[in-house]
C-alpha cells in the first residue's frame, strides 16, 4: 500500500480546493544551480547516465526537497527521452544543449518512427518513478512529465536546440501532411509515456510545450494545441492517468489560455509575461494556474525577490487554485539561498493573504 500523503497542498490546489498556504515548486528545481546536483552528475559521468540510473535520478530529485520546504517533487529526467527511445541518438555536448545524431527530416524517416515500448525502451524512466515514490514515502506528491508533441518535433527535426526552430516550421508550411504524421506519432507516444508514469506512481502530470509560442495563432492551433488536446483526451479515458491532475504549459502562448483550459486539463502553467489576475479572467476560474515569477528575479537581492513573490501572490489574489512557480526554469547561476528566500516567502505571505 502506498503511504498516505503528509503534504497534499499541491494536489488540493490543482483541484481548486482551499489550502492553508499556497503550494510552491520550481521548474528545474533539481539542476545545475545546486552544487550537490553537479556532484551527483559528475559521479554519474554525464547527464544521460544520470537520467538513466534510477537510484541517482532519485537522489537528485530529492536534493532540492532536503534544502527547501517544497510542496512537490518532479521526476528527474528530460523531455528528450522519447525521441532518444525512437532511435535518434541523444547526447549533450559538454553538459550544454541537446543534440541528436539522427534528426528527422524526410518522409521516410518520419514513417519509420514508432511509439517506443514504455516498459522496455523507457523502463529506466518508470524505474526512476518507482524508486522516487518509495523514497519520498509520502512527503510530497511526485510530478511526472513529458514534452508536448510540438516541442518534441522542434528538437527532432532541428536536431538540436535553436532560437527559432526554423527547420520544423519550414516543414509545417512546405509539407503539412508530413508534419502531422510526425505529430500523430508523437501524440500517441506522449500519451503512452504519461500513462506509464502514472502506472508507475506519478501523482500529477505536466506537459511542457516550451516552443508553442513560436507559432502564430492559427499554426499554434493546428500544430500544437490540436495534439495537446489529443493527449488530454487519451489520458482522460486512461485507467492509470484519468484521476491524475494534468498541467499544460505552453510558453509564450498567453493568447490561448482559454482554448487550452477548454481541453479538459486541470491546470495551466503560465509564463511571466501576463499578470495572473488577467490569466484568471481568461480561464474564468475553470482551471488552476501555476506560475509565474520571472526566473531572472532570482538573480536580484532577497528583498527584491520577496517583493516580487508578493506581487505574484497579490495578482492571483485570495482565490483557490494557485500553485506558485517560476514562469520558466531556474537558471544555473542562481544562488541556492535565493530559492530558499522565494519558497519561504510564498508560504509566509500567502498565509497572511488568507488571514486578511
Ligand atoms: O548537464 C545538465 O545537467 C543539463 C541540464 C539539464 C537538466 C537539469 C537538462 C538538459 N535537462 C535537465 C532536467 C530536466 N529537463 C527536468 C528535470 C526536472 C526538474 O527539476 O524540473 C525537466 C522537467 C526538463 C524538461 C526539459 N528539457 C524541457 C522543458 C522545460 C523547459 O525548461 O522549457 C526542455 C525544453 C528540455 C530540453 C533540454 N534538456 C537539457 C537542456 C539544457 C535543455 C534545453 C535545451 C534548449 O535550450 O533548447
Amino acid at each position: 500500500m502506498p503511504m498516505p500523503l503528509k503534504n497534499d497542498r499541491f494536489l488540493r490546489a490543482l483541484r481548486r480546493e482551499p489550502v492553508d498556504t499556497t503550494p510552491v515548486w520550481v521548474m528545474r528545481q533539481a539542476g545545475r544551480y545546486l552544487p550537490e546536483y553537479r556532484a551527483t552528475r559528475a559521479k554519474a559521468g554525464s547527464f544521460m547516465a544520470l537520467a538513466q540510473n534510477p537510484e541517482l535520478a532519485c537522489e537528485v530529485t530529492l536534493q532540492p526537497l532536503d534544502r527547501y520546504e517544497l510542496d512537490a517533487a518532479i521526476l528527474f529526467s528530460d523531455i528528450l527521452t522519447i525521441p532518444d527511445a525512437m532511435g535518434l541518438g541523444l547526447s549533450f555536448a559538454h553538459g550544454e544543449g541537446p543534440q541528436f545524431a539522427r534528426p528527422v527530416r524526410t518522409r521516410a524517416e518520419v514513417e519509420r518512427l514508432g511509439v517506443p515500448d514504455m516498459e522496455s525502451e523507457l523502463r529506466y524512466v518508470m524505474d526512476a518513478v518507482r524508486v522516487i515514490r518509495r523514497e519520498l514515502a509520502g512527503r510530497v506528491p511526485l510530478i511526472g512529465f513529458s514534452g508536448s508533441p510540438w516541442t518534441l518535433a522542434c528538437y527532432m527535426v532541428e536536431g538540436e536546440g535553436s532560437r527559432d526552430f526554423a527547420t520544423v516550421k519550414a516543414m509545417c508550411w512546405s509539407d503539412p501532411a508530413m508534419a502531422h504524421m510526425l505529430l500523430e506519432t508523437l501524440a500517441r507516444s506522449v500519451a503512452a509515456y504519461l500513462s506509464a508514469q502514472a502506472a508507475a506512481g506519478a501523482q500529477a502530470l505536466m506537459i511542457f510545450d516550451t516552443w508553442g509560442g513560436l507559432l502564430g495563432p492559427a499554426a499554434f492551433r493546428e500544430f500544437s494545441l490540436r495534439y495537446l488536446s489529443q493527449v488530454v483526451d487519451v489520458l482522460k479515458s486512461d485507467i492509470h492517468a484519468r484521476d491524475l491532475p494534468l498541467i499544460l504549459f505552453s510558453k509564450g502562448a498567453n493568447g490561448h489560455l482559454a482554448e487550452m483550459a477548454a481541453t479538459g486539463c486541470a491546470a495551466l502553467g503560465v509564463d511571466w509575461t501576463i499578470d495572473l489576475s488577467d490569466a484568471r479572467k481568461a480561464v474564468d476560474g475553470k482551471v488552476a494556474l501555476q506560475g509565474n515569477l520571472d526566473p531572472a528575479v532570482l538573480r536580484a537581492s532577497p528583498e527584491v525577490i520577496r517583493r516580487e513573490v508578493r506581487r505574484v501572490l497579490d495578482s492571483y489574489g485570495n482565490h483557490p487554485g494557485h500553485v506558485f512557480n517560476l514562469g520558466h526554469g531556474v537558471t544555473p547561476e542562481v544562488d541556492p539561498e535565493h530559492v530558499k528566500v522565494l519558497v519561504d516567502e510564498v508560504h509566509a505571505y500567502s498565509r497572511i493573504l488568507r488571514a486578511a
Side-chain angles (χ1 to χ4, degrees), residues 34-259:
L34 288 179
E36 59 270 35
Y37 168 82
R38 296 194 298 269
T40 308
R41 193 187 64 188
K43 188 163 77 180
S46 69
F47 174 79
M48 280 310 278
L50 174 55
Q52 291 178 341
N53 180 321
E55 273 71 34
L56 293 182
C58 175
E59 185 177 307
V60 294
T61 298
L62 300 184
Q63 284 168 351
L65 300 175
D66 292 338
R67 271 189 187 251
Y68 316 117
E69 300 283 324
L70 294 161
D71 297 296
I74 181 161
L75 163 70
F76 185 82
S77 188
D78 197 76
I79 64 164
L80 300 177
T81 51
I82 288 180
D84 185 53
M86 287 175 162
L88 274 66
L90 173 64
S91 63
F92 288 87
H94 316 294
E96 296 301 317
Q99 211 144 38
F100 287 116
R102 292 169 291 280
V104 173
R105 297 278 167 82
T106 66
R107 208 165 245 267
E109 284 163 353
V110 171
E111 280 167 359
R112 263 203 302 278
L113 296 172
V115 176
D117 184 82
M118 299 301 152
E119 280 295 347
S120 54
E121 286 145 311
L122 287 162
R123 182 174 191 105
Y124 67 91
V125 177
M126 309 314 149
D127 284 341
V129 171
R130 287 184 277 262
V131 173
I132 297 164
R133 264 306 293 278
R134 187 189 71 213
E135 294 302 315
L136 274 173
R139 264 164 93 179
V140 291
L142 175 63
I143 306 166
F145 71 92
S146 172
S148 72
W150 166 251
T151 291
L152 293 178
C154 284
Y155 287 98
M156 292 169 73
V157 174
E158 199 71 41
E160 59 190 7
S162 161
R163 248 188 316 135
D164 54 8
F165 290 95
T167 320
V168 70
K169 288 175 78 175
M171 183 197 283
C172 291
W173 307 122
S174 56
D175 193 345
M178 179 166 144
H180 283 299
M181 199 189 307
L182 172 59
L183 290 163
E184 284 284 344
T185 304
L186 284 168
R188 286 190 285 123
S189 302
V190 167
Y193 189 52
L194 291 173
S195 166
Q197 290 182 41
Q203 290 150 297
L205 300 170
M206 175 155 168
I207 301 180
F208 290 91
D209 186 33
T210 304
W211 303 116
L214 294 177
L215 297 166
F220 177 79
R221 291 186 191 102
E222 179 174 351
F223 298 104
S224 177
L225 182 61
R226 187 202 289 191
Y227 296 96
L228 287 171
S229 189
Q230 262 186 32
V231 174
V232 177
D233 286 346
V234 174
L235 294 178
K236 289 231 137 196
S237 55
D238 179 83
I239 182 160
H240 305 296
R242 66 186 171 209
D243 296 325
L244 269 53
L246 176 64
I247 307 163
L248 298 183
F249 173 52
S250 271
K251 188 168 170 289
N254 290 330
H256 298 283
L257 294 175
E259 293 162 279

Side-chain angles (χ1 to χ4, degrees), residues 25-29 33 68 293-302 304-306 308-309 324-343:
W25 69 279
V26 175
M27 285 192 268
R28 297 281 178 100
Q29 62 192 23
Y33 73 106
Y68 316 117
L293 185 70
D294 185 336
V297 169
L298 285 173
R299 302 169 70 144
S301 67
V304 172
I305 295 168
R306 287 190 199 98
E308 295 301 314
V309 163
F324 197 101
N325 206 314
L326 300 176
H328 201 199
V330 55
T331 49
E333 70 292 330
V334 163
D335 179 345
E337 277 307 303
H338 287 193
V339 175
K340 181 169 167 49
V341 170
L342 176 148
V343 170

